[in-house]
Amino acid sequence: MKFFLDTANIEEIKRINALGLVDGVTTNPSLINKEGRDFEEVIKEISATIAGPVSAEVTAYDYGAMVEQARSLAKWADNVVVKVPMTENGLRAIHTLTAEGIKTNCTLIFSVSQGLMAMKAGATYISPFMGRIDDMGEDGARLISQLRDIIDIYGYDSEIIAASIRHINHLEKAALAGAHIATIPGNLFEKLWTHPLTTAGIDAFIKDWDSFESRNLR
């Protein structure tokens, strides 16, 4: 399973990338706005920092404007993936961009039919939103499992990015449901490798070692 970091913070990306845990990065206008920096500057810096895919989202919703903007984004770096919303115009744009060799990430997917349409249009990645689906009283992990079944049955090339991951349980369910990728907020990453019993065990080892060294120095 691949991990994409869901952030636009360069220092956060560098820190977690140094652990060997980052396979790519997803961003959106809201995340970049939080950094208070130029959109193009941030995407280019992230793309130079990470070898894997970097999703940059279009801000237009008209077909022609989406395609024009996507072509421009794709020129910023070889590893840029254009994030396109799940709409009729979005599907048309994905179909056009795929034919031109531009990789796409179809975002805001909430149903099996939407995911299937994105696969059929040629999306490189499809992003079902686990957290928001759970908010509606439905099962985000079940949707991921169903989408994975469709990919496996029909041989679509699209990869599933489990998005809107808010806690460890989401990540674990996404992995078990067969998501190819999980896109994870930076503030959640640290929680993935920590556990109270691990911390307590380390503290006990340190205490025992300090006691051992103290006795040997007498």
Side-chain angles (χ1 to χ4, degrees):
M1 187 180 196
K2 289 177 279 190
F3 293 158
F4 286 3
L5 187 55
D6 193 34
T7 184
N9 185 282
I10 296 296
E11 294 309 312
E12 190 171 57
I13 292 169
K14 288 179 178 178
R15 176 195 169 205
I16 299 175
N17 188 47
L19 303 176
L21 298 177
V22 181
D23 299 293
V25 171
T26 56
T27 68
N28 59 51
S30 297
L31 289 173
I32 292 177
N33 185 53
K34 288 180 183 178
E35 299 304 310
R37 297 177 58 195
D38 177 71
F39 179 71
E40 181 174 352
E41 179 184 83
V42 171
I43 294 298
K44 286 182 175 179
E45 186 171 356
I46 295 173
S47 299
T49 303
I50 298 295
V54 176
S55 286
E57 189 166 349
V58 297
T59 54
Y61 292 94
D62 172 77
Y63 163 75
M66 263 196 278
V67 170
E68 182 179 351
Q69 190 176 16
R71 288 169 177 159
S72 177
L73 291 172
K75 292 177 182 177
W76 289 356
D78 292 339
N79 54 337
V80 165
V81 173
V82 181
K83 191 186 286 189
V84 179
M86 165 47 70
T87 62
E88 180 179 349
N89 284 335
L91 289 171
R92 185 181 173 191
I94 288 169
H95 177 64
T96 298
L97 297 169
T98 300
E100 296 178 8
I102 295 174
K103 294 182 178 181
T104 57
N105 174 2
C106 188
T107 189
L108 293 171
I109 289 176
F110 295 94
S111 69
V112 172
S113 61
Q114 286 183 321
L116 180 56
M117 295 304 99
M119 296 175 205
K120 187 73 174 175
T124 313
Y125 304 100
I126 59 172
S127 293
F129 277 46
M130 287 190 72
R132 295 193 197 179
I133 292 168
D134 287 353
D135 289 345
M136 297 187 298
E138 299 180 14
D139 189 343
R142 183 169 181 268
L143 174 59
I144 289 174
S145 179
Q146 291 171 326
L147 292 171
R148 181 58 190 260
D149 285 345
I150 290 172
I151 288 173
D152 292 343
I153 291 168
Y154 295 103
Y156 286 112
D157 293 327
S158 302
E159 290 188 83
I160 300 168
I161 301 177
S164 188
I165 287 182
R166 298 173 181 166
H167 46 69
I168 293 173
N169 195 35
H170 271 154
L171 175 65
E172 293 173 349
K173 284 186 174 182
L176 292 168
H180 302 90
I181 303 152
T183 182
I184 307 170
N187 60 4
L188 178 59
F189 250 105
E190 185 172 354
K191 297 176 183 178
L192 302 179
W193 65 69
T194 59
H195 191 282
L197 293 179
T198 304
T199 302
I202 292 171
D203 289 344
F205 292 151
I206 292 172
K207 182 179 179 180
D208 289 344
W209 181 251
D210 287 345
S211 176
F212 172 79
E213 284 196 315
S214 177
R215 288 197 305 271
N216 282 276
L217 288 173
R218 291 174 185 170

